[in-house]
Amino acid sequence: MPVAAVARDAVGYRPLLFSIAYGMTGSVGDAEDIVQDAFLGLTRADQAGTAITDLKAYLTTSVTRLGINHLGSARVRRETYMGEWLPEPVVMSADRPGPAEYAELADSLSMAFLLLLEALSPTERAVFMLREAFGYGYPEVARIIGKSEANCRQIFARARKRIAPEGQTIDRPPTPARRAEGDELARRFFEATAGGDMDALLDMLAPDVVFHGDGGGKARAIGKAMSGLRRVAQLLIGGFRRNRKLGVALQPARVNGRPGAVLSDAEGRVASVLELEIADGAIQAIHSVSNPDKLSHIGPVSDIALLPEK
């Protein structure tokens, strides 16, 4: 295949490659770096005269294995992370569409799903994600990972048992009808929260709702996950009351394929991103990311939530 044709076809796989790399790392920046490294590897292979018969297979294998290698150092960094670690949000908005890479991001890669994957080893994460989020068959997974098909089946079964013990189900991407219901619930949720309507809010939150906040030690956020219907409701209403005083505006968006919102200051700079996990007609979890390092890919970052430098 001519070099120009290889380059053109490789770019066409970029959205898929980004999705896989993001699923492995939970980081937009790291995913972009991994995809770029895979393209550089392809260029070197082409220059060396290496015959590549299946370009898609070559690139997905390269990205997955680079992701496995990356996770070792990433987990060392997370051991010293300040507060709770959440994935970098991937935001899609009707009036502010994200990069083309996001267009094919699997709806399965919600924050809740990515947090479940944190319990797995790098290889387990790759096998489980390729099967569960991207629907690869065991022969394809085995080729990508570089292990036998039987071994990959064992790895998948072990991974599923670790993150969904006793036959628990793992949330699937919502159907169009469920998605519409979730969007309507999210609209009412943000309206009630902004208006300080405690009764309406309590009706929309699950009894065991959990609020997760990630400030990375650089922005205001709760130190650890908070659970409990009334406690979370009070936290939300207090936070939105403070935001109103600061002139913060809320723009609904899809965050990691789920209903959410981008909060921006009076100058339009991003202050935080919220993602809602919805199931059984109620909000089960709320993920809030205010760490400025995880928001810069969305746009200019606000300083209203930043903590004073020590």
Side-chain angles (χ1 to χ4, degrees):
M1 184 182 293
V3 173
V6 170
R8 182 188 64 245
D9 291 346
V11 170
Y13 292 125
R14 192 178 189 94
L16 170 64
L17 301 176
F18 174 85
S19 295
I20 293 173
Y22 175 75
M24 287 296 296
T25 65
S27 165
V28 172
D30 290 339
E32 291 172 345
D33 290 343
I34 285 173
V35 172
Q36 188 60 32
D37 286 346
F39 283 152
L40 289 174
L42 175 65
T43 299
R44 296 191 193 99
D46 182 73
Q47 292 173 344
T50 303
I52 300 174
T53 57
D54 188 334
L55 183 58
K56 179 181 178 181
Y58 178 91
L59 288 170
T60 54
T61 299
S62 178
V63 162
T64 303
R65 294 185 182 182
L66 285 168
I68 290 173
N69 293 337
H70 169 85
L71 282 179
S73 59
R75 292 191 171 182
V76 170
R77 295 197 304 271
R78 289 174 198 171
E79 288 176 358
T80 58
Y81 193 81
M82 293 289 291
E84 186 176 8
W85 180 92
L86 293 177
E88 290 182 14
V90 172
V91 176
M92 293 289 289
S93 174
D95 59 353
R96 187 173 57 186
E101 286 92 328
Y102 297 0
E104 293 185 14
L105 190 69
D107 276 350
S108 296
L109 299 181
S110 67
M111 287 195 180
F113 182 76
L114 293 177
L115 288 174
L116 283 177
L117 297 186
E118 288 293 300
L120 305 178
S121 71
T123 299
E124 287 174 335
R125 181 172 183 140
V127 170
F128 191 83
M129 183 195 65
L130 290 172
R131 282 283 298 159
E132 194 74 15
F134 294 95
Y136 279 89
Y138 283 112
E140 295 172 295
V141 173
R143 173 185 49 74
I144 292 171
I145 302 300
K147 297 183 180 294
S148 70
E149 184 176 337
N151 197 353
C152 286
R153 288 180 182 274
Q154 293 174 347
I155 292 172
F156 180 82
R158 185 170 65 243
R160 172 175 277 280
K161 187 174 182 180
R162 288 185 64 186
I163 65 177
E166 300 179 359
Q168 294 177 1
T169 59
I170 295 172
D171 288 341
R172 300 289 183 177
T175 63
R178 291 292 186 188
R179 179 168 172 161
E181 291 174 3
D183 289 342
E184 173 59 20
L185 179 60
R187 184 194 65 77
R188 293 190 289 110
F189 165 80
F190 288 122
E191 183 178 273
T193 306
D197 190 338
M198 175 67 78
D199 290 338
L201 193 57
L202 292 173
D203 286 340
M204 288 181 270
L205 299 176
D208 55 351
V209 63
V210 182
F211 185 97
H212 303 269
D214 180 349
K218 299 181 179 182
R220 284 193 298 269
I222 60 174
K224 60 181 181 179
M226 176 185 292
S227 61
L229 180 58
R230 189 163 292 274
R231 293 179 68 206
V232 170
Q234 291 172 340
L235 174 70
L236 289 166
I237 288 180
F240 273 73
R241 184 183 298 120
R242 182 173 59 252
N243 287 337
R244 281 199 307 275
K245 294 178 180 178
L246 295 173
V248 172
L250 182 147
Q251 179 63 44
R254 296 209 70 78
V255 180
N256 288 59
R258 299 295 190 270
V262 176
L263 278 63
S264 303
D265 66 15
E267 298 179 21
R269 300 174 301 176
V270 181
S272 63
V273 171
L274 296 177
E275 184 224 41
L276 307 180
E277 290 292 332
I278 297 173
D280 301 323
I283 296 168
Q284 308 290 331
I286 302 163
H287 299 96
S288 172
V289 179
S290 56
N291 182 346
D293 296 340
K294 296 184 176 183
L295 302 175
S296 58
H297 64 282
I298 301 171
V301 179
S302 174
D303 58 3
I304 62 172
L306 299 186
L307 299 171
E309 292 188 9
K310 296 180 179 179

